[in-house]
Amino acid sequence: MLGMIKNSLLSTVEAWPYQVLSKGEKEQLSYEERVCEGGRFAVVEVVGKPFDEASKEGVLKLLKYVGGTNDKGVGMGMTAPVSMTAFPAEDGSLQQKVKVSLRIPSQFQANPPCPSDESIKIEERQGMTIYSTQFGGYAKETDYVNYAAKLKSALGSEAAYRKDFYFCNGYDPPMKPHGRRNEVWFVKE
């Protein structure tokens, strides 16, 4: 636990590498099209719980993993964002299934430590092109659903992206009260 706290408070945060392809604004919503690098990710899936509760549970498990609860007992440092894969229902609300993921820091990409928690899996992911919009505050399910609806409206029917899931991303530790960064990402098809 001490390693997790030290890791999240004192370490530098490595950003998930991406390149902005274009920027747009429509209906008072700014958005970007980006290419995000692939790599190895620590992933935990939580089912049967509301989005906010499931996200918190998954994030805590991943923080413990990068904080040293792994086979090498090594604190790896933080990466941002913490990404929650949300699965929308027909009515736009979110299903009770969340995949929480964290990109493994660069120095551990080639050989990541094995998680001590068996619910955490290491996944290899390809790079992807996304549509992204950003907002502030302490994000909850209602905020992500609201901004996903705004992004969908701003992109209109001409943009092709995955409709069966989207990413809800948080960049900041909970103890940062101001200037918080959250994003919704749609994966371009």
Side-chain angles (χ1 to χ4, degrees):
M1 185 65 106
L2 184 61
M4 178 182 82
I5 294 168
K6 184 180 134 203
N7 195 49
S8 65
L9 289 177
L10 303 177
S11 67
T12 57
V13 177
E14 179 184 319
W16 183 347
Y18 68 86
Q19 178 184 358
V20 177
L21 298 178
S22 65
K23 295 182 178 195
E25 188 170 337
K26 191 173 179 185
E27 300 173 14
Q28 298 179 333
L29 185 80
S30 296
Y31 59 90
E32 294 180 338
E33 182 179 355
R34 302 179 189 159
V35 174
C36 299
E37 277 188 19
R40 288 195 170 95
F41 291 76
V43 180
V44 62
E45 187 171 307
V46 182
V47 295
K49 295 182 180 179
F51 180 86
D52 293 334
E53 184 182 339
S55 298
K56 184 177 179 181
E57 180 180 316
V59 167
L60 286 173
K61 286 182 177 196
L62 294 179
L63 287 177
K64 288 178 184 175
Y65 166 65
V66 297
T69 307
N70 53 60
D71 69 338
K72 295 178 182 165
V74 62
M76 294 184 274
M78 270 303 291
T79 59
V82 174
S83 189
M84 286 81 62
T85 308
F87 300 90
E90 292 292 321
D91 64 0
S93 67
L94 300 181
Q95 298 177 33
Q96 290 196 355
K97 173 184 173 183
V98 178
K99 283 179 87 170
V100 184
S101 59
L102 191 62
R103 191 172 192 276
I104 304 285
S106 296
Q107 70 184 67
F108 297 96
Q109 275 287 316
N111 189 19
C114 293
S116 300
D117 183 335
E118 292 180 5
S119 68
I120 299 172
K121 307 296 180 214
I122 305 300
E123 291 183 2
E124 179 82 29
R125 294 188 181 171
Q126 298 301 310
M128 61 185 169
T129 302
I130 59 150
Y131 297 106
S132 172
T133 191
Q134 183 176 322
F135 60 97
Y138 285 94
K140 301 280 185 209
E141 175 178 0
T142 53
D143 303 305
Y144 287 119
V145 169
N146 182 29
Y147 277 90
K150 288 179 180 183
L151 182 58
K152 178 181 178 181
S153 178
L155 291 173
S157 58
E158 65 274 0
Y161 56 88
R162 297 285 302 263
K163 309 281 193 294
D164 54 331
F165 70 90
Y166 58 87
F167 293 105
C168 305
N169 302 289
Y171 284 79
D172 303 299
M175 57 291 285
K176 181 179 178 184
H178 303 289
R180 298 182 63 78
R181 178 181 173 189
N182 309 290
E183 294 179 341
V184 170
W185 293 357
F186 292 166
V187 177
K188 188 175 180 179
E189 290 186 312

